[in-house]
Amino acid sequence: MNAIYRERKTASRLLAVLLSALLMVPLLSSCGGGTRTATPPPPVDDSIGRTVSNNNPATQPEAKKGLGTGQKVALLAGAAALYYLYNQHKNSQAEGAQGKYYLSKNGRVYYRDAKGQAHWVTPPPEGIQVPESEAQKYRDFQGYNNRPTGRDLTNLTSSPAPAL
């Protein structure tokens, strides 16, 4: 009978050690400093209560009043304004709202802040006045001279943007 008792004692010790080791695996694996890539936070929709406008006087001329021989301007709103803003900022090296803009797969324009969080760009509701010669590139888009019809930005191909 002593031989059976010793086998049970040895087997139960081995089983206890095995179960203890299995219980330690999750604890030890959570403490490891493995290589994990941080995913950027979800995009922020800034269209509620705030719009991004292009206040750079070099890129947005003022409209001339009256019937002079001044420069003709076109009004860009909607998709045309978004595409204009995207083209103005797509090569920028700054950060934030004045930094680089990206074109998403769903046809929206966004930028990333210093934390890497995406912010959707909304064109100003009054539109953007652009010299007519420069605005001709956007004449096929919805919002050119407040036209309700035209292309949107969903089918444009652009440089690869960081994932949202």
Side-chain angles (χ1 to χ4, degrees):
M1 183 118 167
N2 286 342
I4 296 172
Y5 181 70
R6 284 184 183 250
E7 287 178 20
R8 284 187 182 172
K9 191 173 184 180
T10 305
S12 64
R13 281 187 182 169
L14 285 174
L15 186 61
V17 168
L18 179 66
L19 289 175
S20 297
L22 287 174
L23 289 172
M24 294 291 285
V25 169
L27 178 67
L28 294 176
S29 67
S30 67
C31 294
T35 58
R36 293 183 183 176
T37 57
T39 58
V44 174
D45 193 354
D46 291 333
S47 62
I48 301 170
R50 184 180 144 211
T51 59
V52 176
S53 62
N54 190 359
N55 293 329
N56 188 352
T59 59
Q60 184 174 344
E62 289 186 25
K64 302 267 183 175
K65 297 187 180 191
L67 296 173
T69 59
Q71 187 178 29
K72 291 184 178 182
V73 294
L75 187 64
L76 300 180
L82 273 179
Y83 195 45
Y84 173 78
L85 289 172
Y86 165 74
N87 283 330
Q88 294 295 312
H89 292 275
K90 68 182 177 183
N91 296 324
S92 178
Q93 298 299 321
E95 287 187 3
Q98 298 303 318
K100 187 172 185 173
Y101 282 15
Y102 303 96
L103 186 60
S104 71
K105 290 179 184 177
N106 65 0
R108 294 187 73 184
V109 176
Y110 66 96
Y111 66 89
R112 294 204 175 271
D113 61 12
K115 297 176 187 172
Q117 188 169 21
H119 295 268
W120 297 116
V121 175
T122 306
E126 66 275 1
I128 301 172
Q129 292 182 354
V130 178
E132 190 175 32
S133 60
E134 190 176 340
Q136 289 300 314
K137 294 187 284 188
Y138 309 101
R139 71 177 177 268
D140 295 334
F141 291 94
Q142 177 270 326
Y144 178 78
N145 275 338
N146 280 331
R147 188 177 58 205
T149 60
R151 292 176 56 192
D152 58 7
L153 304 181
T154 55
N155 296 330
L156 290 178
T157 58
S158 65
S159 60
L164 280 177

